[in-house]
Amino acid sequence: NAGVMQNPRHLVRRRGQEARLRCSPMKGHSHVYWYRQLPEEGLKFMVYLQKENIIDESGMPKERFSAEFPKEGPSILRIQQVVRGDSAAYFCASSRTGTGFNEKLFFGSGTQLSVL
Amino acid sequence: TQLLEQSPQFLSIQEGENLTVYCNSSSVFSSLQWYRQEPGEGPVLLVTVVTGGEVKKLKRLTFQFGDARKDSSLHITAAQPGDTGLYLCAGASRNFNKFYFGSGTKLNVKP
């Protein structure tokens, strides 16, 4: 009964490289959220996706960042030409329906991105 | 802009003490959730409150949602070292598209 799976747990990139972060939601969940967390801070919303659709990307930087959730396979958060300021923990969460008063988010263990 | 303000930011207490942490906003939320996060892990949902004035209890934890649905509090009775962690509140947007998280209260319970 696997939970939300994120990989890799740790990712080191040099400035200018690309970072690809993967998230497999819980079984039966078709809604995925990506959040970013800096040390000693809360989570900042980035993007909300359903299968093959971006529902809300209001928290995504306009450049270099993109996200997808294909029909088959995990959700991918892609950061092109990384800069030191991209260093953070990136968390993925999934939910069953995406709506409702008692909607529950289940989080993965995160990917710690370090940009050298 | 931080929609949800949590206080205090840091709290260090002795085992057995009681504590209250707060989550405040100028915005009204459709629902509010509390999470606990341990280092190197993702947040884990503790409770969801929906109705203004609602009080929920989870063993030694008591959660309250303000009457106007703008603020919430978490009270822990007889804290234990296992309660140590980062406590985050999150408010749901009107259409539940996203949850806005506060910056958290980092709690350390010393044995």
Short mmCIF file of all heavy atoms in Angstrom, two decimals, chain A residues 5-13 17-25 32-37 46-47 49 60 64-70 73-80 82 86-92 109-115:
data_model
loop_
_atom_site.label_atom_id
_atom_site.label_comp_id
_atom_site.label_asym_id
_atom_site.label_seq_id
_atom_site.Cartn_x
_atom_site.Cartn_y
_atom_site.Cartn_z
N MET A 5 5.23 8.52 -3.90
CA MET A 5 6.65 8.22 -4.08
C MET A 5 7.32 9.33 -4.88
O MET A 5 6.87 9.66 -5.98
CB MET A 5 6.82 6.88 -4.80
CG MET A 5 6.14 5.72 -4.10
SD MET A 5 6.80 5.43 -2.46
CE MET A 5 8.44 4.89 -2.86
N GLN A 6 8.37 9.88 -4.32
CA GLN A 6 9.14 10.88 -5.02
C GLN A 6 10.57 10.39 -5.23
O GLN A 6 11.16 9.80 -4.33
CB GLN A 6 9.18 12.20 -4.24
CG GLN A 6 7.86 12.95 -4.22
CD GLN A 6 8.00 14.33 -3.63
OE1 GLN A 6 7.50 14.60 -2.54
NE2 GLN A 6 8.68 15.22 -4.35
N ASN A 7 11.10 10.69 -6.39
CA ASN A 7 12.52 10.40 -6.61
C ASN A 7 13.12 11.39 -7.59
O ASN A 7 12.40 11.98 -8.40
CB ASN A 7 12.71 8.95 -7.08
CG ASN A 7 12.12 8.71 -8.45
OD1 ASN A 7 12.74 8.99 -9.48
ND2 ASN A 7 10.91 8.20 -8.47
N PRO A 8 14.40 11.64 -7.43
CA PRO A 8 15.25 11.12 -6.36
C PRO A 8 15.01 11.84 -5.03
O PRO A 8 14.35 12.87 -5.01
CB PRO A 8 16.66 11.40 -6.90
CG PRO A 8 16.49 12.66 -7.70
CD PRO A 8 15.12 12.54 -8.34
N ARG A 9 15.52 11.32 -3.94
CA ARG A 9 15.40 12.00 -2.64
C ARG A 9 16.33 13.20 -2.59
O ARG A 9 16.00 14.23 -2.01
CB ARG A 9 15.76 11.04 -1.50
CG ARG A 9 14.71 10.02 -1.15
CD ARG A 9 13.41 10.65 -0.68
NE ARG A 9 13.58 11.56 0.44
CZ ARG A 9 13.49 11.22 1.72
NH1 ARG A 9 13.27 9.98 2.07
NH2 ARG A 9 13.60 12.14 2.67
N HIS A 10 17.49 13.03 -3.20
CA HIS A 10 18.47 14.11 -3.24
C HIS A 10 18.96 14.25 -4.68
O HIS A 10 19.23 13.26 -5.34
CB HIS A 10 19.65 13.83 -2.32
CG HIS A 10 19.25 13.63 -0.89
ND1 HIS A 10 19.08 14.67 -0.03
CD2 HIS A 10 18.97 12.50 -0.20
CE1 HIS A 10 18.73 14.18 1.16
NE2 HIS A 10 18.64 12.88 1.08
N LEU A 11 19.08 15.50 -5.12
CA LEU A 11 19.52 15.77 -6.48
C LEU A 11 20.49 16.94 -6.45
O LEU A 11 20.16 18.01 -5.94
CB LEU A 11 18.32 16.10 -7.37
CG LEU A 11 18.58 16.36 -8.85
CD1 LEU A 11 19.22 15.14 -9.51
CD2 LEU A 11 17.28 16.72 -9.56
N VAL A 12 21.67 16.72 -6.98
CA VAL A 12 22.68 17.78 -7.03
C VAL A 12 22.89 18.15 -8.48
O VAL A 12 23.12 17.27 -9.32
CB VAL A 12 24.01 17.31 -6.40
CG1 VAL A 12 25.05 18.43 -6.48
CG2 VAL A 12 23.80 16.90 -4.94
N ARG A 13 22.80 19.43 -8.76
CA ARG A 13 23.01 19.92 -10.12
C ARG A 13 23.92 21.13 -10.07
O ARG A 13 23.98 21.87 -9.08
CB ARG A 13 21.67 20.33 -10.75
CG ARG A 13 20.81 19.17 -11.19
CD ARG A 13 21.38 18.49 -12.41
NE ARG A 13 20.64 17.33 -12.85
CZ ARG A 13 20.94 16.07 -12.50
NH1 ARG A 13 21.94 15.83 -11.67
NH2 ARG A 13 20.23 15.08 -12.98
N GLN A 17 22.37 23.40 -15.47
CA GLN A 17 21.88 22.07 -15.83
C GLN A 17 20.36 22.00 -15.65
O GLN A 17 19.73 22.92 -15.12
CB GLN A 17 22.56 21.01 -14.96
CG GLN A 17 24.03 20.83 -15.28
CD GLN A 17 24.66 19.69 -14.48
OE1 GLN A 17 24.37 19.51 -13.28
NE2 GLN A 17 25.51 18.92 -15.13
N GLU A 18 19.81 20.86 -16.03
CA GLU A 18 18.37 20.64 -15.88
C GLU A 18 18.12 19.70 -14.71
O GLU A 18 18.89 18.78 -14.45
CB GLU A 18 17.80 20.02 -17.16
CG GLU A 18 16.31 19.71 -17.08
CD GLU A 18 15.78 19.08 -18.36
OE1 GLU A 18 15.65 19.81 -19.36
OE2 GLU A 18 15.47 17.87 -18.34
N ALA A 19 17.03 19.96 -14.01
CA ALA A 19 16.61 19.07 -12.91
C ALA A 19 15.23 18.50 -13.25
O ALA A 19 14.33 19.24 -13.66
CB ALA A 19 16.55 19.83 -11.59
N ARG A 20 15.09 17.18 -13.09
CA ARG A 20 13.80 16.53 -13.32
C ARG A 20 13.41 15.78 -12.05
O ARG A 20 14.12 14.88 -11.61
CB ARG A 20 13.88 15.56 -14.50
CG ARG A 20 14.04 16.27 -15.84
CD ARG A 20 14.34 15.30 -16.95
NE ARG A 20 13.17 14.54 -17.35
CZ ARG A 20 12.31 14.92 -18.28
NH1 ARG A 20 12.48 16.06 -18.92
NH2 ARG A 20 11.29 14.16 -18.61
N LEU A 21 12.29 16.16 -11.50
CA LEU A 21 11.81 15.59 -10.25
C LEU A 21 10.55 14.78 -10.56
O LEU A 21 9.66 15.26 -11.27
CB LEU A 21 11.47 16.68 -9.22
CG LEU A 21 12.64 17.45 -8.57
CD1 LEU A 21 13.49 18.21 -9.57
CD2 LEU A 21 12.08 18.40 -7.52
N ARG A 22 10.47 13.59 -10.00
CA ARG A 22 9.37 12.68 -10.32
C ARG A 22 8.49 12.43 -9.12
O ARG A 22 8.97 12.39 -7.98
CB ARG A 22 9.91 11.35 -10.85
CG ARG A 22 10.66 11.46 -12.15
CD ARG A 22 11.26 10.15 -12.57
NE ARG A 22 12.11 10.29 -13.74
CZ ARG A 22 13.34 10.77 -13.72
NH1 ARG A 22 13.88 11.16 -12.59
NH2 ARG A 22 14.02 10.87 -14.85
N CYS A 23 7.22 12.23 -9.41
CA CYS A 23 6.25 11.98 -8.34
C CYS A 23 5.21 10.99 -8.82
O CYS A 23 4.51 11.24 -9.80
CB CYS A 23 5.56 13.28 -7.93
SG CYS A 23 4.13 13.04 -6.84
N SER A 24 5.11 9.87 -8.12
CA SER A 24 4.05 8.90 -8.39
C SER A 24 3.01 9.02 -7.29
O SER A 24 3.33 8.79 -6.12
CB SER A 24 4.61 7.48 -8.44
OG SER A 24 5.52 7.35 -9.51
N PRO A 25 1.78 9.39 -7.63
CA PRO A 25 0.75 9.58 -6.59
C PRO A 25 0.33 8.25 -5.98
O PRO A 25 0.68 7.18 -6.48
CB PRO A 25 -0.41 10.22 -7.36
CG PRO A 25 -0.23 9.76 -8.77
CD PRO A 25 1.26 9.63 -8.98
N VAL A 32 -2.52 15.84 -8.46
CA VAL A 32 -1.16 16.02 -7.96
C VAL A 32 -0.87 17.50 -7.75
O VAL A 32 -1.25 18.35 -8.56
CB VAL A 32 -0.13 15.42 -8.95
CG1 VAL A 32 1.27 15.90 -8.64
CG2 VAL A 32 -0.18 13.89 -8.90
N TYR A 33 -0.22 17.79 -6.64
CA TYR A 33 0.18 19.16 -6.31
C TYR A 33 1.68 19.17 -6.09
O TYR A 33 2.23 18.26 -5.48
CB TYR A 33 -0.50 19.62 -5.02
CG TYR A 33 -2.00 19.49 -4.99
CD1 TYR A 33 -2.61 18.25 -4.80
CD2 TYR A 33 -2.83 20.59 -5.14
CE1 TYR A 33 -3.99 18.11 -4.77
CE2 TYR A 33 -4.21 20.48 -5.10
CZ TYR A 33 -4.79 19.23 -4.92
OH TYR A 33 -6.15 19.10 -4.88
N TRP A 34 2.34 20.23 -6.53
CA TRP A 34 3.76 20.42 -6.24
C TRP A 34 3.92 21.65 -5.34
O TRP A 34 3.32 22.70 -5.60
CB TRP A 34 4.57 20.61 -7.52
CG TRP A 34 4.80 19.35 -8.29
CD1 TRP A 34 4.05 18.86 -9.32
CD2 TRP A 34 5.89 18.43 -8.12
NE1 TRP A 34 4.60 17.68 -9.79
CE2 TRP A 34 5.72 17.39 -9.07
CE3 TRP A 34 6.99 18.37 -7.26
CZ2 TRP A 34 6.61 16.33 -9.19
CZ3 TRP A 34 7.87 17.31 -7.37
CH2 TRP A 34 7.67 16.30 -8.32
N TYR A 35 4.76 21.46 -4.31
CA TYR A 35 5.08 22.54 -3.38
C TYR A 35 6.59 22.66 -3.24
O TYR A 35 7.32 21.68 -3.40
CB TYR A 35 4.48 22.27 -1.99
CG TYR A 35 2.99 22.49 -1.88
CD1 TYR A 35 2.10 21.48 -2.24
CD2 TYR A 35 2.48 23.69 -1.41
CE1 TYR A 35 0.73 21.67 -2.14
CE2 TYR A 35 1.10 23.88 -1.29
CZ TYR A 35 0.24 22.88 -1.66
OH TYR A 35 -1.11 23.07 -1.55
N ARG A 36 7.01 23.86 -2.89
CA ARG A 36 8.44 24.11 -2.66
C ARG A 36 8.60 24.60 -1.22
O ARG A 36 7.76 25.37 -0.73
CB ARG A 36 8.89 25.16 -3.65
CG ARG A 36 10.26 25.73 -3.47
CD ARG A 36 10.48 26.80 -4.52
NE ARG A 36 11.41 27.79 -4.04
CZ ARG A 36 12.53 28.11 -4.66
NH1 ARG A 36 12.84 27.52 -5.79
NH2 ARG A 36 13.33 29.02 -4.16
N GLN A 37 9.66 24.14 -0.57
CA GLN A 37 9.90 24.55 0.82
C GLN A 37 11.35 24.95 1.01
O GLN A 37 12.25 24.17 0.71
CB GLN A 37 9.53 23.42 1.78
CG GLN A 37 9.62 23.81 3.25
CD GLN A 37 9.18 22.68 4.17
OE1 GLN A 37 9.45 21.52 3.92
NE2 GLN A 37 8.50 23.04 5.26
N MET A 46 3.00 25.54 -5.95
CA MET A 46 3.55 25.79 -7.28
C MET A 46 2.51 25.49 -8.36
O MET A 46 2.14 26.35 -9.14
CB MET A 46 4.79 24.94 -7.51
CG MET A 46 5.94 25.26 -6.57
SD MET A 46 7.39 24.26 -6.94
CE MET A 46 7.97 25.05 -8.43
N VAL A 47 2.02 24.24 -8.38
CA VAL A 47 1.14 23.84 -9.48
C VAL A 47 0.25 22.69 -9.04
O VAL A 47 0.61 21.89 -8.18
CB VAL A 47 2.00 23.45 -10.72
CG1 VAL A 47 2.89 22.25 -10.40
CG2 VAL A 47 1.14 23.17 -11.93
N LEU A 49 -2.14 19.65 -10.83
CA LEU A 49 -2.40 18.95 -12.08
C LEU A 49 -3.35 17.78 -11.87
O LEU A 49 -3.37 17.17 -10.81
CB LEU A 49 -1.09 18.37 -12.66
CG LEU A 49 0.12 19.28 -12.79
CD1 LEU A 49 1.12 18.99 -11.68
CD2 LEU A 49 0.78 19.10 -14.13
N MET A 60 3.84 28.83 -10.18
CA MET A 60 5.04 28.45 -10.94
C MET A 60 5.73 29.69 -11.50
O MET A 60 5.08 30.56 -12.08
CB MET A 60 4.63 27.55 -12.11
CG MET A 60 4.24 26.17 -11.68
SD MET A 60 5.63 25.06 -11.60
CE MET A 60 5.71 24.57 -13.32
N ARG A 64 11.61 28.79 -17.03
CA ARG A 64 12.49 27.66 -16.65
C ARG A 64 11.74 26.52 -15.96
O ARG A 64 12.27 25.42 -15.88
CB ARG A 64 13.64 28.13 -15.75
CG ARG A 64 14.54 29.20 -16.36
CD ARG A 64 15.78 29.45 -15.51
NE ARG A 64 15.43 29.96 -14.19
CZ ARG A 64 15.55 29.27 -13.07
NH1 ARG A 64 16.01 28.03 -13.09
NH2 ARG A 64 15.24 29.80 -11.90
N PHE A 65 10.57 26.76 -15.41
CA PHE A 65 9.84 25.72 -14.67
C PHE A 65 8.67 25.20 -15.52
O PHE A 65 7.95 25.97 -16.13
CB PHE A 65 9.28 26.27 -13.35
CG PHE A 65 10.30 26.45 -12.27
CD1 PHE A 65 11.23 27.47 -12.36
CD2 PHE A 65 10.32 25.60 -11.17
CE1 PHE A 65 12.18 27.65 -11.35
CE2 PHE A 65 11.26 25.77 -10.15
CZ PHE A 65 12.19 26.80 -10.25
N SER A 66 8.49 23.88 -15.51
CA SER A 66 7.33 23.30 -16.17
C SER A 66 6.94 22.03 -15.43
O SER A 66 7.76 21.43 -14.71
CB SER A 66 7.62 23.00 -17.64
OG SER A 66 8.68 22.06 -17.75
N ALA A 67 5.69 21.64 -15.58
CA ALA A 67 5.21 20.43 -14.92
C ALA A 67 4.27 19.71 -15.86
O ALA A 67 3.59 20.32 -16.68
CB ALA A 67 4.50 20.77 -13.61
N GLU A 68 4.24 18.38 -15.71
CA GLU A 68 3.32 17.58 -16.49
C GLU A 68 2.88 16.39 -15.68
O GLU A 68 3.55 15.96 -14.74
CB GLU A 68 3.98 17.11 -17.79
CG GLU A 68 5.17 16.21 -17.60
CD GLU A 68 5.73 15.68 -18.92
OE1 GLU A 68 5.28 16.13 -19.99
OE2 GLU A 68 6.61 14.81 -18.87
N PHE A 69 1.73 15.85 -16.06
CA PHE A 69 1.20 14.65 -15.42
C PHE A 69 0.56 13.84 -16.55
O PHE A 69 -0.62 13.97 -16.83
CB PHE A 69 0.17 15.02 -14.35
CG PHE A 69 -0.27 13.87 -13.48
CD1 PHE A 69 0.41 12.67 -13.44
CD2 PHE A 69 -1.39 14.01 -12.68
CE1 PHE A 69 0.00 11.62 -12.64
CE2 PHE A 69 -1.81 12.97 -11.85
CZ PHE A 69 -1.13 11.78 -11.84
N PRO A 70 1.37 13.02 -17.21
CA PRO A 70 0.87 12.31 -18.39
C PRO A 70 -0.14 11.22 -18.03
O PRO A 70 -0.27 10.83 -16.86
CB PRO A 70 2.15 11.70 -19.00
CG PRO A 70 3.09 11.60 -17.85
CD PRO A 70 2.78 12.73 -16.93
N GLY A 73 2.38 7.05 -16.23
CA GLY A 73 3.65 7.44 -15.63
C GLY A 73 3.52 8.54 -14.60
O GLY A 73 2.43 9.06 -14.35
N PRO A 74 4.65 8.88 -14.01
CA PRO A 74 4.61 9.84 -12.90
C PRO A 74 4.44 11.28 -13.38
O PRO A 74 4.59 11.59 -14.56
CB PRO A 74 6.00 9.65 -12.26
CG PRO A 74 6.86 9.27 -13.41
CD PRO A 74 6.00 8.40 -14.30
N SER A 75 4.16 12.15 -12.42
CA SER A 75 4.20 13.58 -12.67
C SER A 75 5.66 14.03 -12.64
O SER A 75 6.45 13.52 -11.85
CB SER A 75 3.39 14.33 -11.62
OG SER A 75 3.52 15.73 -11.79
N ILE A 76 5.99 14.95 -13.51
CA ILE A 76 7.36 15.45 -13.60
C ILE A 76 7.37 16.96 -13.38
O ILE A 76 6.58 17.68 -14.00
CB ILE A 76 7.98 15.18 -14.99
CG1 ILE A 76 7.89 13.70 -15.36
CG2 ILE A 76 9.41 15.69 -15.04
CD1 ILE A 76 8.84 12.80 -14.63
N LEU A 77 8.25 17.40 -12.49
CA LEU A 77 8.54 18.84 -12.35
C LEU A 77 9.91 19.05 -12.95
O LEU A 77 10.89 18.42 -12.53
CB LEU A 77 8.51 19.26 -10.89
CG LEU A 77 8.84 20.74 -10.62
CD1 LEU A 77 7.75 21.65 -11.19
CD2 LEU A 77 8.98 21.00 -9.13
N ARG A 78 9.98 19.92 -13.93
CA ARG A 78 11.22 20.12 -14.67
C ARG A 78 11.70 21.55 -14.47
O ARG A 78 10.93 22.50 -14.62
CB ARG A 78 10.96 19.85 -16.15
CG ARG A 78 12.16 19.96 -17.05
CD ARG A 78 11.71 19.70 -18.49
NE ARG A 78 12.79 19.85 -19.44
CZ ARG A 78 12.62 20.18 -20.70
NH1 ARG A 78 11.40 20.38 -21.18
NH2 ARG A 78 13.65 20.30 -21.52
N ILE A 79 12.96 21.67 -14.11
CA ILE A 79 13.57 22.99 -13.94
C ILE A 79 14.76 23.07 -14.89
O ILE A 79 15.72 22.31 -14.76
CB ILE A 79 14.05 23.23 -12.50
CG1 ILE A 79 12.95 22.88 -11.47
CG2 ILE A 79 14.47 24.69 -12.32
CD1 ILE A 79 13.41 22.92 -10.02
N GLN A 80 14.66 23.97 -15.82
CA GLN A 80 15.75 24.13 -16.80
C GLN A 80 16.73 25.19 -16.31
O GLN A 80 16.36 26.14 -15.61
CB GLN A 80 15.17 24.55 -18.16
CG GLN A 80 14.32 23.46 -18.80
CD GLN A 80 13.73 23.92 -20.12
OE1 GLN A 80 12.84 24.76 -20.16
NE2 GLN A 80 14.23 23.38 -21.21
N VAL A 82 19.14 25.50 -14.08
CA VAL A 82 18.98 25.78 -12.65
C VAL A 82 19.97 26.84 -12.18
O VAL A 82 21.08 26.97 -12.69
CB VAL A 82 19.15 24.50 -11.80
CG1 VAL A 82 18.03 23.51 -12.11
CG2 VAL A 82 20.52 23.87 -11.98
N ASP A 86 17.29 28.06 -6.85
CA ASP A 86 16.34 26.96 -6.99
C ASP A 86 16.55 25.89 -5.93
O ASP A 86 15.71 24.99 -5.79
CB ASP A 86 16.47 26.31 -8.38
CG ASP A 86 16.14 27.25 -9.51
OD1 ASP A 86 15.32 28.17 -9.30
OD2 ASP A 86 16.70 27.07 -10.62
N SER A 87 17.64 25.99 -5.19
CA SER A 87 17.91 25.01 -4.14
C SER A 87 16.80 25.05 -3.10
O SER A 87 16.52 26.11 -2.53
CB SER A 87 19.26 25.30 -3.47
OG SER A 87 20.32 25.14 -4.38
N ALA A 88 16.18 23.92 -2.87
CA ALA A 88 15.04 23.84 -1.94
C ALA A 88 14.59 22.39 -1.88
O ALA A 88 15.08 21.53 -2.62
CB ALA A 88 13.88 24.71 -2.43
N ALA A 89 13.64 22.14 -0.98
CA ALA A 89 12.96 20.85 -0.96
C ALA A 89 11.68 20.99 -1.77
O ALA A 89 10.91 21.93 -1.57
CB ALA A 89 12.66 20.42 0.46
N TYR A 90 11.47 20.04 -2.67
CA TYR A 90 10.27 20.07 -3.50
C TYR A 90 9.40 18.88 -3.11
O TYR A 90 9.84 17.73 -3.17
CB TYR A 90 10.64 20.00 -4.98
CG TYR A 90 11.33 21.27 -5.45
CD1 TYR A 90 12.70 21.44 -5.27
CD2 TYR A 90 10.61 22.29 -6.06
CE1 TYR A 90 13.34 22.61 -5.68
CE2 TYR A 90 11.23 23.46 -6.48
CZ TYR A 90 12.59 23.61 -6.28
OH TYR A 90 13.21 24.77 -6.68
N PHE A 91 8.17 19.19 -2.69
CA PHE A 91 7.25 18.15 -2.23
C PHE A 91 6.11 18.00 -3.22
O PHE A 91 5.58 18.97 -3.76
CB PHE A 91 6.69 18.49 -0.86
CG PHE A 91 7.68 18.35 0.25
CD1 PHE A 91 8.40 19.44 0.71
CD2 PHE A 91 7.91 17.10 0.82
CE1 PHE A 91 9.33 19.30 1.73
CE2 PHE A 91 8.83 16.95 1.85
CZ PHE A 91 9.55 18.06 2.29
N CYS A 92 5.73 16.76 -3.39
CA CYS A 92 4.57 16.42 -4.19
C CYS A 92 3.50 15.88 -3.25
O CYS A 92 3.82 15.19 -2.28
CB CYS A 92 4.98 15.37 -5.22
SG CYS A 92 3.64 14.52 -6.04
N SER A 109 7.98 12.19 0.43
CA SER A 109 9.09 12.57 1.32
C SER A 109 9.94 13.69 0.75
O SER A 109 10.87 14.15 1.40
CB SER A 109 9.97 11.35 1.60
OG SER A 109 9.22 10.37 2.29
N GLY A 110 9.63 14.11 -0.47
CA GLY A 110 10.31 15.27 -1.03
C GLY A 110 11.59 14.94 -1.79
O GLY A 110 12.18 13.86 -1.65
N THR A 111 11.98 15.88 -2.63
CA THR A 111 13.29 15.85 -3.30
C THR A 111 14.05 17.08 -2.87
O THR A 111 13.57 18.20 -3.03
CB THR A 111 13.14 15.85 -4.83
OG1 THR A 111 12.54 14.63 -5.26
CG2 THR A 111 14.51 16.00 -5.50
N GLN A 112 15.23 16.86 -2.29
CA GLN A 112 16.07 17.98 -1.90
C GLN A 112 16.99 18.32 -3.07
O GLN A 112 17.86 17.52 -3.43
CB GLN A 112 16.90 17.62 -0.66
CG GLN A 112 17.81 18.75 -0.19
CD GLN A 112 17.05 19.97 0.28
OE1 GLN A 112 16.15 19.89 1.10
NE2 GLN A 112 17.41 21.14 -0.25
N LEU A 113 16.76 19.45 -3.67
CA LEU A 113 17.59 19.89 -4.80
C LEU A 113 18.66 20.85 -4.31
O LEU A 113 18.37 21.83 -3.63
CB LEU A 113 16.72 20.60 -5.85
CG LEU A 113 17.46 21.27 -7.01
CD1 LEU A 113 18.17 20.22 -7.87
CD2 LEU A 113 16.51 22.09 -7.86
N SER A 114 19.89 20.52 -4.65
CA SER A 114 21.02 21.39 -4.31
C SER A 114 21.69 21.81 -5.60
O SER A 114 22.08 20.96 -6.40
CB SER A 114 22.02 20.66 -3.41
OG SER A 114 21.42 20.27 -2.20
N VAL A 115 21.83 23.11 -5.79
CA VAL A 115 22.47 23.64 -6.99
C VAL A 115 23.83 24.22 -6.60
O VAL A 115 23.92 25.12 -5.76
CB VAL A 115 21.60 24.71 -7.67
CG1 VAL A 115 22.30 25.25 -8.91
CG2 VAL A 115 20.23 24.15 -8.02
#
